[in-house]
Amino acid sequence: MIVLGYAFYLLLGTLKFVLFSFYTDTAFPLDLFFMNLGGMLVLSSWTLLIDWQKRRWIWLGLLIAHSFLLISDMWYYRYFDDFLSVSLMSQMMQMGDVSSGFAALILPSDFLLFADSLIFIGFLFFMRKRTFAVAKKTRRKTAGLAFLAGMVLFAAPVTYSVVKEDQRLSRSVSDMRDYYQLGFWGYHGIDLLRGIQGAIAPDKALTTSEQQQIDETKTSDTSGATKKPNIILVQLESFQASVIDQQVNGQTLTPNLNKLKEESLYFSSFYHQTHEGRTSDAEFITNTSLYPLKSGSVYTRFPDNEFDALPDLLRTNGYDTAAMHAYEKGFWNRDQVYQNIGFKHFFSQDDYPKQKKIGMALNDKQFFTKSIKHMEMLKEPYFSFLVALTSHTPYEIPKDERQLDLSGYDDPMLRGYYQTIHYVDGAVGQMVKELKKKDMWDDTLVIFYGDHDSGLTNKDSEMQRELGIDNAVDAFELDRRVPLFIKKPNQDTGEIIRENGGQIDIAPTIVDLLNLESPYMMGNSLLDDEPNLTAFRDGSFRYKDYYYEANLTEKAGNGTCYDVSTKEAVARDMCRPQTKQVRNDLRLSDAIIEKNGLE
């Protein structure tokens, strides 16, 4: 019975992994099955040393605990395309204020992950009157064999993978790649060890190679701008590029932003590069020209580290710098981070009207109006960084502000998204009018960009069906492409720029326009003649006419290369030269952030 009961416990736990992979739409290759089974054997073999009366309840407890960890990983994955980690603990404290959007991703069927516990309770009820006396020697022997079998099942595929991947374990740029290499238990185990190591003995020294790469990338002296324009940089919440020029039931979603293209540079192949930090990642990437972390947010993990940030650079060059965000000052450590990266002023929730919130905070129309008044109080030249909020998930907007007829749309989240996007577009239009009326437009460098996608772009979503997404390239474009408008001082005619770029390139572009020297930035100007390599946290990238989609279940570099124009897969060699550079850039960025390399 000791073997039969244990086998039933293992079967229930393993079936849960299958259900988990189905719900998350993640791969479940044979080696992952063996690693997960091996992990269960290693972690539970000790229970076989205990007599049946206690052991059965321990198994039930382990199944329940396993379900809680799986369902937490699943919910987190739906929101961030990643699994939980120790480094996220500080970030989880920030989730309370955005929990409504997170909760919208929870489905009733998810709780089937706990069905195994009910089945096991039924099994225990059926066996309640039976007793199974097994000699200690037999229990020790069985436990030892189970542990040994688990080690073999776990270690064999991991060893093969490490040898094949050439130390992929220590050089992975993605948590999900670690998961596919180590399995569920291995991923969480090594993550726990890394967290403990980082807390006890963090590695703070850059390698010679890392320091050399930083030194080689610093720009040479430049003459500086002959005239320093005011700069207004506006981050629009959850604003993806698919809504630009989009018609919904014959209604234009973004009439004001569409019109803005007539007097600004519009970048039609511009992408967000955020990861688990989402909005805070977008702020960080844009202002520091570094990549987001592999796990967690820089704002919560390294708020005091030093960066060669845009606001600090502008402040050194005579600018008055101000960040504006109509929410709690300490949320996501913004008060700490903003001061650290060079913002002299931070106008937060207490500096804005208390009336008429939409979603999390003050509506964007009043936010922009009041922010303009704050700008008028700044010393010129000034740099104003505005973080809008109205179109934040779960996209709730009062009925009297819903201007679109969205009959025929089933997903309430999608209806809410389109309504809030239309509202924010109206707020942008109103802001532009006010800036022009106050003579704050013509001579000013004004930039609008989206921070990240809507969270509604996943496979089989109504948005995907509505837009006819049926291939990997279009799915990528829908998920990653965000709008970028740059209105240069005294610009009055529009231009569409099709060269690809990402948020990491915004600061270098501003530096280029001002002809300033930047100590260290990983991005490149969007206005030079060089093609940009736009990298994403999982190792995917856009470069020239190609999109490379990383395959995290395979050896790094064994992803799929697509021709963006034909949307067809092409020879991997067309993307191969950039795959290694992307991994190197991501590792270097991580080293700079985690080791405070720019101190």
Side-chain angles (χ1 to χ4, degrees), residues 76 83-92 175 187 191-192 194-196 276 293-298 300-302 594:
Y76 193 83
F83 291 158
L84 289 169
S85 64
V86 171
S87 61
L88 294 172
M89 293 304 102
S90 58
Q91 183 168 317
M92 296 304 291
D175 282 342
Y187 163 73
D191 173 67
L192 179 61
R194 286 170 176 167
I196 295 173
E276 294 179 354
L293 287 168
K294 172 182 174 181
S295 183
S297 165
V298 179
T300 56
R301 292 185 62 192
F302 304 100
E594 294 171 358

Side-chain angles (χ1 to χ4, degrees), residues 5-15 37 40-41 44 63:
Y6 192 48
F8 189 60
Y9 160 77
L10 293 173
L11 175 63
L12 291 175
T14 304
L15 289 176
L37 177 58
M40 286 192 67
L41 284 164
S44 64
L63 286 174

Side-chain angles (χ1 to χ4, degrees), residues 506-516 518 524-528:
I506 291 179
T509 302
I510 294 173
V511 171
D512 182 24
L513 285 168
L514 299 181
N515 199 29
L516 296 176
S518 59
N524 297 283
S525 174
L526 294 166
L527 302 177
D528 59 24

Side-chain angles (χ1 to χ4, degrees), residues 364-432:
D364 281 356
K365 289 182 179 179
Q366 287 183 289
F367 169 64
F368 289 149
T369 297
K370 184 62 175 178
S371 294
I372 291 174
K373 293 180 179 178
H374 289 321
M375 290 181 218
E376 291 180 299
M377 302 300 293
L378 298 176
K379 179 182 177 182
E380 295 191 356
Y382 59 76
F383 168 50
S384 297
F385 176 57
L386 284 66
V387 179
L389 257 179
T390 294
S391 48
H392 195 288
T393 181
Y395 313 123
E396 296 172 342
I397 188 168
K399 288 184 179 180
D400 60 344
E401 296 291 355
R402 301 174 191 174
Q403 300 181 3
L404 298 174
D405 173 15
L406 297 177
S407 55
Y409 287 85
D410 299 323
D411 184 355
M413 286 275 283
L414 181 60
R415 293 198 301 269
Y417 178 65
Y418 284 158
Q419 294 286 8
T420 55
I421 285 296
H422 188 67
Y423 179 91
V424 174
D425 175 80
V428 171
Q430 178 180 297
M431 179 184 185
V432 172

Side-chain angles (χ1 to χ4, degrees), residues 140-196:
R140 286 197 297 267
K141 183 178 179 180
T142 306
L145 289 173
F147 181 82
L148 181 61
M151 288 297 294
V152 171
L153 286 173
F154 177 79
V158 171
T159 302
Y160 173 75
S161 179
V162 170
V163 171
K164 181 178 69 172
E165 291 287 328
D166 186 22
Q167 297 183 339
R168 168 174 149 194
L169 248 182
S170 62
R171 299 177 61 79
S172 169
V173 299
S174 166
D175 282 342
M176 291 304 296
R177 186 175 288 281
D178 288 344
Y179 164 73
Y180 284 119
Q181 185 186 10
L182 296 170
F184 180 83
W185 301 111
Y187 163 73
H188 281 292
I190 199 169
D191 173 67
L192 179 61
L193 290 175
R194 286 170 176 167
I196 295 173

